[in-house]
Amino acid sequence: MKRLVFKVGTATLYENGKLSKRIDNIVKLLSELNKDYEIILVSSGAVGAGYTKCPLDKSKLENKQALAAIGQPLLMKEYKKRFHNFDTTVAQVLLTAADLDSRKRTQYAKKMINVLLDNNVIPIINENDSVSVEEILFGDNDQLSAYVTYYFGADMLIMLSDIDAFYTDNPKINKNAKPIKIVKEIKDEWIKQECDPNDRFATGGIVTKLKAAKFLMERGIPMYLTNGKNLDSVKEILNNNQINGTLFLPKEGR
Ligand code: ADP
């Protein structure tokens, strides 16, 4: 059975500081796909969820970490409630980058993930933001989701973003920017661009997505970037190989 990792960004989950209805559609899609695929979800949004209860000043790192600690159980509650409607069991897995650094720890984590997947449980993974500082500062789980895809032996990473594709330029600034359907090589100048987080919760931006794609392409794994609002696009790529977002395709598959 194919193993898929989905990454959902804060900008997809939250709208104007509130949890968006999009989470309902994402849960429905993943529950459906869970019949034919092994599904792992990497979800951001803990800081955003915490902020809805306790609007601390997010410019301070310790406040952001506290918000993640407040928000993580709230976010899990929202997921659990919705997945329950589809008789789908979920598990919370909090990782730090170091867990995937050493071979031994990676193996332990992978074995545990395999147990969950063998039992039809969807792991919902997040960076352990309240104790780690790197990802919370920069990345919004893009890097973590690439690591999860590679180290846990998945076949593809599907990033559900607030943007529907990778463009020739930032489409929010340049109206002439064109979407690129297939990317076979990540150019150095693309990942040297400055990150431009467009949301006060989101810290990712396109650069961290390109870095994630590069990491996976070098290891023979494809990544698909599409909009978290248009989930038909996910079905179309999986069922018909039809590309409505951007497919980052390695030269040689595994
Ligand atoms: P998410 O929260 O879904 O992870 P981000 O908001 O962090 O996503 O990153 C996507 C954003 O990156 C887009 O909304 C867009 O404003 C910005 N961006 C900058 N350059 C590009 C580009 N060349 N193609 C697509 N998006 C770009």
Side-chain angles (χ1 to χ4, degrees), residues 7 11 161-163 165-167 169-172 198 204-206 209:
K7 188 257 163 175
S161 177
D162 68 334
I163 194 85
F166 172 55
Y167 284 72
D169 195 2
N170 187 347
K172 293 202 174 141
N198 63 331
I206 201 70
K209 289 175 180 49

Side-chain angles (χ1 to χ4, degrees), residues 172-185:
K172 293 202 174 141
I173 296 171
N174 180 353
K175 294 280 166 259
N176 296 321
K178 301 266 178 310
I180 307 175
K181 277 192 185 256
I182 297 184
V183 172
K184 290 190 176 162
E185 194 194 344

Side-chain angles (χ1 to χ4, degrees), residues 185-193 207 210 214 218:
E185 194 194 344
I186 306 284
K187 299 212 173 87
D188 282 346
E189 67 246 36
W190 294 348
I191 45 183
K192 283 197 190 111
Q193 283 177 57
V207 176
L210 294 174
K214 186 171 194 293
E218 284 169 358

